Amino acid sequence: MTVLCGPTAVGKGTVVARLRELYPQVFISVSATTRAPRAGEKDGQHYFFVSDTQFDAMVSAGDMLEWAVVHGKNKYGTPRSAVEKKLQAGFPVLLEIDLDGARQVRRNMPESQMIFLAPPSEMDLLTRLEKRGTENLEERTRRLETAKTELAAAGEFDHIVINDTVERATQELARLMGLAT
Ligand code: 5GP
């Protein structure tokens, strides 16, 4: 199992989408979240969009492999059963989760590979977040606060991949996952 973590707007979604295109055998876990869907996001595809009550019930039932409150706001978690089934069947599994969640996985499944996707510079991150235009100023400020904490934790990871170009970063990730030589 591979865990991919990285600050907001670093381009995790784009790199993961490219990995999925090139290596469809990789199982990319679909998280549950209490966040509202963004325009174009589909339930069951981008996330399982659930209520706070539904989320808490999944946690109580032990159905989450890990979970966290991200950006001090919404809950996000990895549904356990799909991941365990795929791992048992021998498929490579990728989790794209936050720092708190990554630390939980490292504790509970120490054989997992921990990868940090980093921006070429902090300035680059700021520009990307503004360009994306999906968050208002308050939300962007909140996300940049989380990003600072996450960047400071990059050293905890087994590997740091710099997202200079999507193609190169995806290839490096694929190599680390043993999908490419
Ligand atoms: P967004 O709201 O932009 O879709 O995601 C915000 C953050 O939530 C991302 O940086 C992502 O790493 C994190 N995240 C998404 N799914 C999960 C999950 O299942 N568990 C945890 N711990 N974090 C997640």
Side-chain angles (χ1 to χ4, degrees), residues 68-181:
V69 175
V70 181
H71 303 305
K73 211 175 164 194
N74 292 299
K75 294 173 186 168
Y76 295 77
T78 305
R80 181 190 296 279
S81 71
V83 168
E84 287 182 346
K85 274 191 202 131
K86 287 291 172 178
L87 286 175
Q88 267 159 24
F91 288 95
V93 171
L94 181 71
L95 307 186
E96 191 262 276
I97 59 178
D98 86 320
L99 180 61
D100 193 353
R103 286 172 171 158
Q104 292 172 45
V105 174
R106 193 182 48 195
R107 266 200 309 276
N108 301 332
M109 302 173 82
E111 65 285 6
S112 305
Q113 173 166 236
M114 315 298 291
I115 298 177
F116 190 85
L117 190 67
S121 71
E122 278 190 42
M123 198 55 212
D124 180 84
L125 202 64
L126 204 80
T127 317
R128 284 190 209 214
L129 187 61
E130 291 199 340
K131 260 205 215 144
R132 183 161 80 175
T134 44
E135 286 84 15
N136 61 27
L137 183 62
E138 188 197 339
E139 183 62 28
R140 286 208 302 272
T141 309
R142 198 201 315 270
R143 281 173 180 252
L144 282 172
E145 278 310 308
T146 314
K148 278 186 201 153
T149 315
E150 292 190 330
L151 285 169
E156 292 177 25
F157 286 73
D158 298 322
H159 303 280
I160 299 176
V161 173
I162 308 284
N163 191 14
D164 42 9
T165 73
V166 173
E167 213 51 42
R168 202 209 57 78
T170 308
Q171 283 307 330
E172 190 177 346
L173 177 61
R175 264 200 310 282
L176 290 169
M177 291 180 73
L179 303 164
T181 48

Side-chain angles (χ1 to χ4, degrees), residues 20 30 42-48:
R20 186 200 301 272
V30 178
K42 290 202 183 76
D43 187 44
Q45 189 180 327
H46 297 90
Y47 283 105
F48 295 107

